[in-house]
């Protein structure tokens, strides 16, 4: 078996013989689009052939279309299919076993390939969720790993995986690969793929915040979180609201911080590593939500005071169904509560924190409240 870059004529024939049957009409780009992007050096197509018997013409086992802007370090698997009679024989796994060597030989500047899978979270029912999970597991079995990225293209939400084509050994640490992948890497590809008006109106891309980001000091994290998306999955639905107001609380020395008097059963979560949720009851009525920040052992946190549509920390937790059951959640891996960056930029103003009359004058008057400028 071998992989071969296809000519315009060859992919045109495969499109008319196979692709129109292998993919739903709603997912299939026009042949003219594939041909034009290939001529522009943005995409190429690959065929997988079986030539065991040299006297016979090689038979097509499968094919793929990749987006790879010329000279760029990342590509995108746009289409992959095994031809009808050859499905269920393991050729999909064989394809991925050959891809790394193929890319290293033909595109030595490339470092990785993005793969889009319809997200499990956005599935309309359990059956559809199971199908999507099986698809993701197939790619993971083939050596792909899940990233912190997600996208929505023309109303369809995707989880993003990647195959690192520079790393061959299984024992290599996936975290090293993930730490190198950024939102802008995939955004560059989308900008090349779509016309400007389609990109603006139909494409959105986000990156889930990880430990590296959420462990920055609270004084830096509080303004940084403005404009980010606070995400909550509850009752099968995903709620996303843009953060508009934050406050930071900075250690035992900060007399407004709950940890001012040291570690207790209530405040021990504040001493966890950055990215942990801290949820407590205010006046025994309202749940208030904080993101623990900084290094483990030093109590810091950012209070989320407002999101678009809900001004006030108690109002937003009620709207997003955040309560003490979510206290101590690791937001870097949780499927219930997390924060995303979709590239939105905003300006902000600073002010005094609210409701801390008990603090000493230094900390009562400090401008550690951050509000999106309207």
């Amino acid at each position: 078996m071998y992989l071969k870059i296809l000519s315009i004529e060859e992919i045109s024939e495969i499109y008319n013989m196979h692709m129109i049957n292998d993919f739903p009409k709603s997912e299939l780009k026009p042949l003219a689009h594939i041909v034009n992007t290939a001529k522009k050096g943005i995409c190429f197509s690959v065929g997988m052939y079986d030539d065991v018997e040299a006297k016979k013409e090689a038979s097509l086992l499968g094919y793929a279309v990749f987006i790879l802007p010329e000279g760029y370090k990342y590509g995108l698997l746009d289409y992959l299919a095994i031809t009808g009679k050859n499905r269920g024989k393991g050729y999909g796994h064989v394809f991925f076993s050959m891809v790394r060597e193929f890319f290293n030989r033909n595109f030595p500047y490339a470092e990785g390939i993005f793969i889009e899978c319809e997200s499990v979270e956005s599935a309309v029912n359990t059956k559809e969720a199971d199908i999507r999970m099986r698809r993701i597991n197939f790619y993971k079995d083939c050596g792909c790993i899940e990233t912190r990225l997600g996208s929505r293209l023309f109303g369809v939400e995707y989880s993003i995986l990647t195959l690192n084509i520079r790393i061959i050994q299984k024992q290599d640490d996936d975290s090293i690969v993930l730490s190198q992948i950024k939102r802008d890497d995939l955004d560059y590809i989308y900008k090349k793929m779509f016309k400007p008006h389609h990109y603006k109106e139909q494409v959105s891309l986000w990156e889930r915040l990880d430990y590296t980001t959420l462990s920055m000091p609270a004084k830096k994290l509080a303004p940084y979180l403005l404009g980010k998306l606070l995400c909550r999955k509850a009752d099968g639905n995903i709620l996303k609201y843009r953060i508009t107001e934050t406050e930071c609380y900075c250690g035992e020395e900060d007399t407004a911080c709950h940890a001012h008097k040291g570690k207790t059963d209530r405040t021990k979560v504040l001493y966890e590593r950055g990215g942990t949720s801290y949820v407590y009851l205010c006046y025994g009525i309202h749940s208030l939500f904080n993101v623990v920040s900084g290094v483990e052992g030093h109590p810091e946190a950012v209070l989320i005071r407002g999101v678009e549509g809900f001004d006030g920390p108690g109002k937003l937790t009620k709207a997003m169904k955040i309560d003490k059951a979510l206290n101590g959640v690791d937001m870097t891996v949780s499927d219930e509560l997390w924060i995303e960056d979709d590239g939105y930029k905003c300006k902000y103003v600073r002010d005094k924190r609210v409701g801390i009359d008990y603090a000493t004058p230094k900390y009562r008057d400090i401008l550690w409240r951050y509000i999106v400028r309207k």
Side-chain angles (χ1 to χ4, degrees), residues 23-219:
F23 295 94
K25 188 176 181 179
S26 60
E27 296 180 10
L28 190 59
K29 298 181 180 71
L31 175 59
H33 176 86
I34 296 175
V35 170
N36 289 336
T37 52
K39 289 180 177 179
K40 293 177 181 178
I42 297 173
C43 90
F44 67 94
S45 303
V46 173
M48 182 170 71
Y49 293 90
D50 185 356
D51 64 345
V52 175
E53 300 180 49
K55 293 182 179 180
K56 291 186 177 181
E57 183 179 354
S59 59
L60 180 70
L61 300 175
Y63 59 89
V65 178
F66 291 95
I67 306 297
L68 183 64
E70 189 171 353
Y72 192 56
K73 62 181 178 178
Y74 287 107
L76 172 71
L77 178 59
D78 204 15
Y79 295 102
L80 170 65
I82 302 301
T83 53
K85 65 180 181 180
N86 295 305
R87 292 172 189 160
K89 298 180 181 180
Y91 288 130
H93 288 80
V94 173
F95 175 85
F96 275 95
S97 72
M98 303 169 69
V99 158
R100 279 196 177 102
E101 191 278 329
F102 174 83
F103 265 81
N104 286 326
R105 184 176 70 250
N106 293 280
F107 309 99
Y109 52 83
E111 298 179 8
I113 303 165
F114 290 116
I115 296 102
E116 299 163 330
C117 287
E118 289 181 296
S119 71
V120 175
E121 292 80 8
S122 63
V124 296
N125 54 51
T126 303
K127 180 179 179 181
E128 181 62 30
D130 289 342
I131 293 173
R132 296 181 180 189
M133 181 56 70
R134 286 200 298 271
R135 191 172 297 136
I136 289 174
N137 287 336
F138 161 75
Y139 285 115
K140 292 170 72 173
D141 287 343
C142 293
C144 304
I145 55 178
E146 293 184 81
T147 72
R148 301 183 305 276
L149 304 179
S151 66
R152 185 179 296 105
L153 310 177
F154 296 88
V156 180
E157 192 165 304
Y158 295 94
S159 297
I160 307 298
L161 291 82
T162 186
L163 178 70
N164 190 287
I165 56 180
R166 290 287 183 85
I167 295 181
I168 308 299
Q169 300 299 322
K170 184 65 177 176
Q171 61 265 30
D172 284 302
D173 189 353
D174 288 349
S175 64
I176 297 176
V177 178
L178 293 176
S179 68
Q180 298 170 345
I181 295 172
K182 303 300 180 186
R183 178 186 172 276
D184 289 347
D185 297 326
L186 181 55
D187 194 38
Y188 179 83
I189 296 175
Y190 284 156
K191 287 178 178 177
K192 290 290 185 180
M193 286 177 63
F194 300 107
K195 294 179 180 179
H197 69 281
H198 284 155
Y199 173 82
K200 181 179 180 179
E201 298 170 3
Q202 301 291 347
V203 177
S204 57
L205 175 63
W206 56 85
E207 179 177 5
R208 180 175 179 147
L209 299 189
D210 63 357
Y211 169 70
T212 302
T213 300
L214 295 176
S215 63
M216 69 173 69
K219 285 183 283 188

Side-chain angles (χ1 to χ4, degrees), residues 149-372:
L149 304 179
S151 66
R152 185 179 296 105
L153 310 177
F154 296 88
V156 180
E157 192 165 304
Y158 295 94
S159 297
I160 307 298
L161 291 82
T162 186
L163 178 70
N164 190 287
I165 56 180
R166 290 287 183 85
I167 295 181
I168 308 299
Q169 300 299 322
K170 184 65 177 176
Q171 61 265 30
D172 284 302
D173 189 353
D174 288 349
S175 64
I176 297 176
V177 178
L178 293 176
S179 68
Q180 298 170 345
I181 295 172
K182 303 300 180 186
R183 178 186 172 276
D184 289 347
D185 297 326
L186 181 55
D187 194 38
Y188 179 83
I189 296 175
Y190 284 156
K191 287 178 178 177
K192 290 290 185 180
M193 286 177 63
F194 300 107
K195 294 179 180 179
H197 69 281
H198 284 155
Y199 173 82
K200 181 179 180 179
E201 298 170 3
Q202 301 291 347
V203 177
S204 57
L205 175 63
W206 56 85
E207 179 177 5
R208 180 175 179 147
L209 299 189
D210 63 357
Y211 169 70
T212 302
T213 300
L214 295 176
S215 63
M216 69 173 69
K219 285 183 283 188
K220 292 184 178 180
L221 185 62
Y224 177 83
L225 289 180
L226 293 175
K228 305 301 185 288
L229 294 170
L230 179 59
C231 307
R232 168 79 167 109
K233 185 175 183 180
D235 302 326
N237 299 312
I238 297 179
L239 306 173
K240 296 186 179 185
Y241 289 97
R242 200 171 298 282
I243 298 171
T244 58
E245 186 175 343
T246 60
E247 289 179 349
C248 62
Y249 292 85
C250 306
E252 294 178 357
E253 63 274 19
D254 179 1
T255 53
C257 180
H258 285 181
H260 172 58
K261 296 182 179 180
K263 184 185 291 188
T264 65
D265 285 341
R266 182 196 190 196
T267 64
K268 61 184 179 183
V269 172
L270 287 170
Y271 292 79
E272 299 293 331
R273 75 174 200 167
T276 304
S277 63
Y278 173 50
V279 185
Y280 65 90
L281 276 179
C282 181
Y283 304 121
I285 302 173
H286 304 293
S287 295
L288 301 193
F289 164 67
N290 303 254
V291 181
V292 175
S293 59
V295 298
E296 186 173 359
H298 188 267
E300 298 182 36
V302 175
L303 170 66
I304 309 300
R305 283 198 54 85
V307 297
E308 284 186 344
F310 300 97
D311 293 327
K315 291 180 181 179
L316 77 88
T317 54
K318 184 177 181 180
M320 300 189 73
K321 299 182 180 180
I322 297 173
D323 57 27
K324 285 195 67 177
L326 293 172
N327 186 43
V329 166
D330 184 347
M331 298 176 62
T332 65
V333 297
S334 173
D335 59 0
E336 294 182 287
L337 187 64
W338 66 95
I339 299 175
E340 294 174 352
D341 177 6
D342 66 349
Y344 180 85
K345 305 297 182 184
C346 61
K347 296 182 178 180
Y348 63 87
V349 295
R350 300 170 62 187
D351 205 341
K352 298 178 183 179
R353 293 177 291 183
V354 177
I356 55 167
D357 292 341
Y358 54 84
T360 57
K362 174 183 176 180
Y363 289 100
R364 187 169 61 239
D365 297 333
I366 200 166
L367 303 181
W368 278 353
R369 178 182 171 205
Y370 305 87
I371 309 160
V372 170

